[in-house]
Amino acid sequence: MMFVFTLTFPFLFVTLVGATEYEQIVLSPSEPRPSDSDVYKVQYELEKAEIFPTVIDKFLPSFLLEAKWSSGERAELGNTVKVDKVQNEPTITVRRDDSGSSLGVMENSNVTYSIVITDPDAPSRDNPEWSEFCHFIATGIKISQSSAVVRASSLTDIISYRPPGPPPETGKHRYVFLLLAPVNGTTDPLNLSKPSDRRNWGTGKARHGVRDWAKENGLQPVAANFVYAQNEKQ
């Protein structure tokens, strides 16, 4: 098979030439390529939803993060969940990207990871005076060479789980899951600070939250996922 590339700003047209047929794929500059691994898809979806740079600075994930509630609802990079189906703490699954793109990153199984959930759209995306709103901070995740599956209830809570509860007539809220690792790779126990308030993560500043808290505690993001949820009354 032969590849023919045609550049027509701002799109790249890739034509796959076979013996008897042609297939053309149109790629915008920021879309993941067909050959890209899942971590690039995660990065693309985070950017598309403006989680970069609203919530956290752009990064390439080292792991894939999945969240599933007992109701069957799950986080799938921007799907919409029903509020009454996500009231219980989710089960978190963390695994390395199958492509191997994350090999060599944070391989020490003694490193302790932390999980957070934050809402950058509180009380609404048009009026984010409470943004970000902290829904969960917990630590104690250990990842083997391949994956880890943990119930949120088995972790050490810094801020207990507060399920999504967007106010009426505030549209869809983004609920962002981030897996954080110590920047220096330490295997020592983490002594994480507790935000003084869920609103603005205690910073008292609109549009501030997990980025400030992570920096304060020497943590960096290594995986992410997110869902949308909204009040039934719109």
Side-chain angles (χ1 to χ4, degrees), residues 194-215:
K194 180 179 179 178
S196 60
D197 195 351
R198 289 183 186 267
R199 293 185 183 184
N200 312 130
W201 284 59
T203 65
K205 302 175 183 178
R207 300 184 186 275
H208 283 255
V210 66
R211 180 169 22 219
D212 304 69
W213 183 82
K215 184 177 181 180

Side-chain angles (χ1 to χ4, degrees), residues 159-172:
I159 293 285
S160 61
Y161 177 70
R162 182 163 176 172
E169 301 179 355
T170 59
K172 286 188 176 182

Side-chain angles (χ1 to χ4, degrees), residues 215-233:
K215 184 177 181 180
E216 174 187 325
N217 287 278
L219 303 176
Q220 63 182 342
V222 292
N225 207 326
F226 69 103
V227 296
Y228 289 98
Q230 67 178 4
N231 193 290
E232 290 185 357
K233 184 178 179 181

Side-chain angles (χ1 to χ4, degrees), residues 5-124:
F5 296 88
T6 305
L7 179 61
T8 304
F9 187 82
F11 299 104
L12 174 65
F13 295 84
V14 182
T15 304
L16 311 181
V17 184
T20 59
E21 61 181 13
Y22 292 81
E23 180 181 358
Q24 191 174 69
I25 304 172
V26 182
L27 303 176
S28 70
S30 59
E31 287 180 325
R33 299 180 299 274
S35 60
D36 280 342
S37 66
D38 287 345
V39 293
Y40 287 96
K41 178 183 178 182
V42 174
Q43 188 184 59
Y44 169 72
E45 294 296 341
L46 293 172
E47 190 162 28
K48 180 181 176 182
E50 298 181 357
I51 292 167
F52 298 150
T54 304
V55 176
I56 201 77
D57 294 335
K58 187 174 181 178
F59 72 97
L60 181 64
S62 301
F63 302 97
L64 299 172
L65 186 157
E66 300 168 2
K68 183 177 180 180
W69 288 266
S70 57
S71 64
E73 292 278 24
R74 62 177 67 233
E76 298 178 328
L77 291 174
N79 59 308
T80 299
V81 298
K82 293 184 177 180
V83 172
D84 62 350
K85 300 291 187 181
V86 293
Q87 295 300 297
N88 298 324
E89 294 177 337
T91 296
I92 305 297
T93 301
V94 180
R95 62 183 176 84
R96 294 188 183 277
D97 178 42
D98 292 337
S99 72
S101 64
S102 62
L103 293 179
V105 180
M106 296 293 177
E107 287 189 343
N108 194 328
S109 60
N110 292 319
V111 169
T112 299
Y113 297 82
S114 303
I115 185 80
V116 305
I117 306 174
T118 190
D119 173 7
D121 304 319
S124 72

Side-chain angles (χ1 to χ4, degrees), residues 131-232:
S131 172
E132 298 161 23
F133 192 91
C134 179
H135 279 266
F136 189 47
I137 306 175
T139 190
I141 298 176
K142 300 286 187 178
I143 302 175
S144 69
Q145 294 298 309
S146 57
S147 65
V149 180
V150 294
R151 291 188 179 276
S153 58
S154 70
L155 300 175
T156 301
D157 285 0
I158 307 298
I159 293 285
S160 61
Y161 177 70
R162 182 163 176 172
E169 301 179 355
T170 59
K172 286 188 176 182
H173 288 227
R174 294 164 291 175
Y175 293 90
V176 183
F177 293 73
L178 289 170
L179 184 72
L180 303 169
V183 173
N184 60 7
T186 183
T187 58
D188 294 336
L190 301 180
N191 183 24
L192 303 179
S193 63
K194 180 179 179 178
S196 60
D197 195 351
R198 289 183 186 267
R199 293 185 183 184
N200 312 130
W201 284 59
T203 65
K205 302 175 183 178
R207 300 184 186 275
H208 283 255
V210 66
R211 180 169 22 219
D212 304 69
W213 183 82
K215 184 177 181 180
E216 174 187 325
N217 287 278
L219 303 176
Q220 63 182 342
V222 292
N225 207 326
F226 69 103
V227 296
Y228 289 98
Q230 67 178 4
N231 193 290
E232 290 185 357

